[in-house]
Amino acid sequence: VIAETIYALSSGQPPAAIAILRISGPAAAYALESLTGALPPPRHASLRSVRHPSTGELLDRAILLLFPGPDSSTGEDLGELHLHGGRSVVNAVLDALGTFEGLRNAEPGEFTRRAFENGRLDLAEAEGLADLLAAETQSQRRAALALAGGALSRRVEDWQGVLLQLAATVESLLDFADEGDVAEELPASWTASLNALVTELERSLRSPPAERLRDGVRVVIAGPPNAGKSSLLNWLAGRRAAITSAIAGTTRDLIEAPTAIAGTPFLLIDTAGLREGADQLEEEGMALARESLGAADLVLWLGNPGDRPDPVRSILVASKADLYSSEERRPADIHVSAETGQGMDALIALLVERARALLPSDGEVAINKRHRDALSECVSDLRLARSSPDLLVVAEHLRLARAALDRITGRAGVEDMLDRLFGSFCIGK
Ligand SMILES: Nc1nc2c(ncn2[C@@H]2O[C@H](COP(=O)(O)OP(=O)(O)OP(=O)(O)O)[C@@H](O)[C@H]2O)c(=O)[nH]1
Ligand SMILES: [Mg+2]
């Protein structure tokens, strides 16, 4: 099949200082030559007049860049026009491109999909790219860059190397068996190497999930009514996300405020105050509050130490510190005031410290659900391989374990996954 040539605006919506159009496919060079008269040498930025191919009208003066395939980001001939970023400039050049036969508008993520199909990046790296485009905090950016740069792919490759060795040993024993020799036992070194691999995969499975980095560490603010929960939420979020009032029972719904603090993503959740003898609406709010406590990564508990829901995950906060002298203070991990801001720096430092332990650390590869599913399947096949006395069965489980790892980098059985992933990109990426 001869691939169609695709084009799209790859930069943000005009008007802007510069608009970048990308064209990829076999007719890219021809179309760009027709628009600009002469092609520059590969990977050299050159100033060109862009003219309508049939009327010859000057549309813009632009920088033209050519990246001949296969050494381009899509693996195909790829061209970039850096236009002036006005709406009519962009529309005029897009219209001109539309007059060429074999050229069409790109679908969302189609440039990246072609890069994947031409082996320029694997599936885990493409996921990293998607994460990078969505990254809002510095820790998200760092993890996305590592994934996009192949950090996970390289580990998968190492694991595949070990698996191949293990499989080769089994195959050679099976060959002996074919020749009528008595089947040998697998050597102790084989078992040791398999065990080491299982241990390493299990460690990766236990590492903090990438989803927590994407969605933010869930911090639930809870305690009795009027404790100052909503005031604390507003202070931490830096905006008035929740209504506060001196009336006990103000908050009923869960109020979620995604907030980056010191480059770390948090999802702050304010809840209804917990107390006995509330009306029905408030009871519903309290049910939501209890539910969210169950799903919390961390709890800021503004109530009595004795009622603390979860000592491990909770931070005991004494609120309204401005109302008490230091002798009158309740015992707590931290004393804060949303009125004066006292104690907030210490609370933030503590939150960030606790969150870091719950998030993939900087050098570590963040594993998402898709990766985890594949890894768990790989581990269970390795366990079955380890426990089977029949070499044929062992070989089969090793093959399945390899196939599971292949799904991480997209070498096998991932068609539906591809549509989902690339469909989530913007047009022009
Ligand atoms: N002096 C002082 N008053 C505070 C402080 N924080 C909150 N308040 C006041 O305490 C009252 C209750 O604050 P909220 O933030 O609405 O308390 P809440 O825990 O969300 O209350 P409910 O939603 O009803 O459960 C309001 O009148 C606030 O102005 C503080 O640090 N110092
Ligand atoms: Mg409230």
Side-chain angles (χ1 to χ4, degrees):
V1 214
I2 295 169
E4 292 166 297
T5 298
I6 53 172
Y7 62 90
L9 174 65
S10 285
S11 54
Q13 281 307 308
I18 295 171
I20 300 178
L21 296 193
R22 293 210 294 171
I23 310 167
S24 180
Y30 167 74
L32 286 169
E33 189 170 12
S34 310
L35 288 183
T36 62
L39 295 177
R43 292 178 295 279
H44 276 260
S46 314
L47 185 63
R48 287 287 184 276
S49 294
V50 182
R51 294 180 182 281
H52 195 280
S54 40
T55 66
E57 188 195 349
L58 181 67
L59 303 178
D60 194 14
R61 263 182 272 275
I63 296 292
L64 173 60
L65 271 164
L66 268 189
F67 305 91
D71 298 323
S72 69
S73 70
T74 55
E76 305 174 325
D77 285 351
L78 177 76
E80 281 184 11
L81 275 173
H82 297 212
L83 304 166
H84 292 100
R87 241 183 284 275
S88 80
V89 177
V90 172
N91 287 339
V93 178
L94 285 174
D95 287 347
L97 285 170
T99 64
F100 290 95
E101 208 163 306
L103 261 65
R104 65 165 172 79
N105 280 301
E107 308 278 340
E110 197 169 8
F111 288 92
T112 313
R113 183 162 193 153
R114 288 191 175 188
F116 170 75
E117 275 160 5
N118 292 320
R120 301 295 295 172
L121 87 182
D122 68 29
L123 200 49
E125 289 163 345
E127 283 174 313
L129 212 50
D131 291 350
L132 192 58
L133 298 185
E136 293 196 5
T137 67
Q138 298 306 318
S139 50
Q140 288 167 340
R141 173 184 61 76
R142 280 190 285 267
L145 262 182
L147 187 59
L152 178 59
S153 310
R154 283 189 292 276
R155 298 196 65 185
V156 168
E157 206 171 295
D158 290 346
W159 296 330
Q160 292 284 31
V162 178
L163 270 176
L164 273 174
Q165 289 274 328
L166 292 170
T169 307
V170 176
E171 298 295 338
S172 68
L173 287 180
L174 280 169
D175 284 349
F176 278 125
D178 282 350
E179 286 160 17
D181 290 336
V182 180
E184 284 181 56
E185 288 278 296
L186 284 160
S189 63
W190 184 92
T191 313
S193 157
L194 186 135
N195 285 342
L197 181 59
V198 169
T199 306
E200 195 175 328
L201 294 177
E202 282 170 342
R203 183 149 35 93
S204 283
L205 276 170
R206 276 195 309 272
S207 66
E211 287 80 2
R212 192 179 284 149
L213 189 58
R214 187 193 59 202
D215 302 336
V217 175
R218 297 177 71 87
V219 178
V220 171
I221 305 174
N226 241 354
K229 300 181 297 300
S230 302
S231 304
L232 182 57
L233 173 87
N234 291 348
W235 207 97
L236 290 171
R239 64 187 173 94
R240 200 165 157 272
I243 297 174
T244 63
S245 87
I247 304 164
T250 305
T251 307
R252 270 91 195 277
D253 280 319
L254 297 181
I255 295 167
E256 301 195 342
T259 307
I261 302 175
T264 307
F266 287 93
L267 183 65
L268 305 173
I269 303 168
D270 183 23
T271 60
L274 300 168
R275 64 168 166 184
E276 303 290 326
D279 65 30
Q280 197 203 331
L281 265 184
E282 215 181 324
E283 281 293 346
E284 282 187 37
M286 292 197 292
L288 287 176
R290 289 194 195 92
E291 208 173 292
S292 75
L293 280 173
D297 296 320
L298 288 172
V299 176
L300 294 181
W301 178 248
L302 274 64
N304 288 325
D307 304 333
R308 198 172 176 160
D310 179 340
V312 182
R313 282 180 302 151
S314 66
I315 297 172
L316 189 58
V317 178
S319 57
K320 307 190 186 182
D322 57 296
L323 298 182
Y324 304 94
S325 68
S326 36
E327 295 87 64
E328 295 170 316
R329 279 181 168 181
R330 301 188 274 125
D333 296 328
I334 212 132
H335 296 80
V336 298
S337 165
E339 197 69 32
T340 65
Q342 77 185 81
M344 289 297 186
D345 286 348
L347 175 59
I348 283 174
L350 187 61
L351 270 177
V352 170
E353 180 195 317
R354 298 283 293 264
R356 292 256 158 89
L358 295 167
L359 291 169
S361 58
D362 273 353
E364 194 179 10
V365 183
I367 307 266
N368 68 27
K369 175 160 190 322
R370 195 183 71 80
H371 307 146
R372 264 197 309 280
D373 289 348
L375 284 183
S376 324
E377 207 176 306
C378 180
V379 167
S380 57
D381 273 308
L382 289 178
R383 289 207 187 100
L384 290 169
R386 184 166 57 189
S387 60
S388 171
D390 182 339
L391 283 184
L392 275 173
V393 176
V394 174
E396 174 62 6
H397 282 299
L398 290 180
R399 197 186 61 72
L400 290 171
R402 280 215 310 280
L405 284 188
D406 274 345
R407 281 208 298 280
I408 293 178
T409 46
R411 290 201 219 135
V414 290
E415 267 312 311
D416 53 333
M417 164 62 210
L418 294 182
D419 290 338
R420 225 175 318 129
L421 173 68
F422 294 112
S424 73
F425 279 80
C426 347
I427 291 173
K429 184 65 207 169

